[in-house]
Amino acid sequence: MEHFLAISDLTPDETQDLLDVAVKLKKQHFEGGNGPQFAGKVLGMIFQKPSLRTRVSFDMAMRHMGGDALYLSPNEIGLGKREAISDIARVLSGYVQVLMARVFDHAHVLELAKWSSIPVINGLSDYNHPCQGMADALTIQEKFGKAKGLNVTFVGDGNNVAVSLMHASAQLGWNFTLASPEGYDLTPKAVEVAEKIAAKTGSQFKYLRDPHEAVKGAHVIYTDTWTSMGQEEETAKREKVFPPFQVNAQLVSEADKDVIVMHCLPAHRNHELTDEVADGPHSVIFPQAHNRLHAQKAILARLLGAA
Ligand code: CP
Ligand code: NVA
């Protein structure tokens, strides 16, 4: 693994391998702590957008394993504005050992990877959110084991988080259903890539308009904000379109009785997800957020050749 830019860049075996490493490092973390596998390594973290989970979990992942992390704010870097991305990549390659970038335009993280001589991790772009997808897959396997054929349903906007969940589902042989309003579908490119993987792993995909139909038999119901970072101008329009796609107690009651409810957070409570469900017995939103730490340790370990 040279970079970590999309779950669809992996093979099914590599995807499962990362999850197995995450399980191992998580166990180690809770049984006395990880070793100093990342001693002398520094992660540079470029953020063009705000973050709680990604920033803190990457920083703590490095510290837990004996390394360090450096936060670079939007104002400091001015990615592509103050300085060309190709120059930033080549300069930082001489200072730190691994880079993580949260960007608006997916092309920008690809550009960083193209020019840097160190591994680059995609910490979210307008296209996908692969670190989230790995933490989500870890959370799902912790609940259901490594069974194939699970039914994973994403209700809401066919956004970056949905893309990585679909790609993880394809790699792991889970069936993936999206229920979205017209005009908020997954990008054709993301679907094409996923369907190629699914042809090998046996995953089935469905794209529906009716959330009630979509959650029938679901083992996982996943939702995310109706308005992603960078789409703030569309908030009023989206608030009118998405209410029928709210994940509430009624919708959850129509799924499998052991369904888990997931959200990458930050949540807009009582918009895409009601308080009752977020804080109810099916919700795994906090263990899911905590799994960012363990999944990312595995990604870093594989990229740094430390596991
Ligand atoms: N889920 C997630 O990526 O959260 P942050 O935006 O807080 O990093
Ligand atoms: N889809 C959301 C995810 C935030 C972690 C966004 O891009 O804003």
Side-chain angles (χ1 to χ4, degrees):
M1 219 165 78
E2 193 187 353
H3 301 291
F4 184 75
L5 304 172
I7 294 175
S8 54
D9 292 341
L10 305 172
T11 64
D13 285 348
E14 283 169 342
T15 308
Q16 187 57 56
D17 167 71
L18 274 180
L19 295 171
D20 293 343
V21 174
V23 168
K24 193 181 86 184
L25 292 173
K26 181 172 181 177
K27 189 163 177 276
Q28 199 180 65
H29 171 75
F30 286 112
E31 290 176 357
N34 302 121
Q37 292 97 319
F38 300 164
K41 310 282 187 194
V42 177
L43 168 72
M45 304 192 293
I46 299 175
F47 280 95
Q48 286 193 305
K49 299 173 179 173
S51 169
L52 171 67
R53 280 144 292 271
T54 306
R55 178 180 176 180
V56 180
S57 58
F58 264 112
D59 193 330
M60 295 315 296
M62 290 305 294
R63 294 192 208 190
H64 287 169
M65 297 182 68
D68 213 337
L70 183 68
Y71 171 73
L72 298 160
S73 74
N75 294 343
E76 275 158 332
I77 290 266
L79 203 72
K81 293 193 181 107
R82 180 171 184 264
E83 196 164 357
I85 292 175
S86 55
D87 290 351
I88 292 172
R90 285 176 285 182
V91 170
L92 285 174
S93 294
Y95 295 156
V96 297
Q97 286 67 47
V98 52
L99 266 181
M100 192 278 300
R102 167 167 288 193
V103 299
F104 284 98
D105 185 344
H106 187 66
H108 291 172
V109 74
L110 298 181
E111 177 90 354
L112 272 173
K114 178 178 165 194
W115 289 99
S116 87
S117 55
I118 57 173
V120 173
I121 299 170
N122 175 1
L124 179 146
S125 72
D126 59 351
Y127 172 64
N128 64 353
H129 194 0
C131 296
Q132 183 68 53
M134 293 309 296
D136 298 340
L138 177 62
T139 309
I140 294 169
Q141 286 200 341
E142 281 178 344
K143 168 73 184 175
F144 296 108
K146 290 184 184 175
K148 292 192 187 288
L150 291 172
N151 298 321
V152 176
T153 296
F154 189 101
V155 178
D157 187 17
N159 66 13
N160 45 7
V161 169
V163 164
S164 289
L165 185 67
M166 172 174 64
H167 288 164
S169 298
Q171 297 285 19
L172 296 164
W174 302 333
N175 302 318
F176 178 84
T177 300
L178 173 77
S180 66
E182 197 174 345
Y184 298 93
D185 297 326
L186 292 150
T187 62
K189 178 187 156 199
V191 169
E192 189 190 318
V193 168
E195 288 187 347
K196 256 191 208 145
I197 300 166
K200 287 185 260 165
T201 62
S203 299
Q204 305 282 321
F205 297 138
K206 281 191 254 174
Y207 315 102
L208 305 175
R209 297 280 174 239
D210 180 1
H212 301 279
E213 188 186 342
V215 300
K216 272 186 212 148
H219 302 103
V220 176
I221 297 177
Y222 201 120
T223 192
D224 184 17
T225 182
W226 295 335
T227 306
S228 286
M229 292 180 278
Q231 300 171 334
E232 289 77 7
E233 281 171 14
E234 297 175 26
T235 304
K237 187 174 122 200
R238 286 167 174 264
E239 288 288 329
K240 287 202 189 96
V241 172
F242 277 98
F245 293 81
Q246 182 186 68
V247 174
N248 52 35
Q250 175 58 43
L251 194 68
V252 173
S253 74
E254 296 167 23
D256 185 89
K257 68 175 182 17
D258 294 323
V259 68
I260 56 172
V261 175
M262 304 182 72
H263 190 307
C264 60
L265 305 180
H268 301 78
R269 283 170 170 263
N270 300 313
H271 290 248
E272 72 268 11
L273 181 69
T274 59
D275 279 341
E276 187 184 4
V277 171
D279 300 324
H282 295 282
S283 172
V284 296
I285 61 176
F286 298 115
Q288 176 189 0
H290 297 158
N291 274 338
R292 294 291 302 275
L293 177 66
H294 311 294
Q296 286 157 198
K297 281 181 184 170
I299 294 164
L300 288 162
R302 277 288 178 254
L303 290 172
L304 291 169

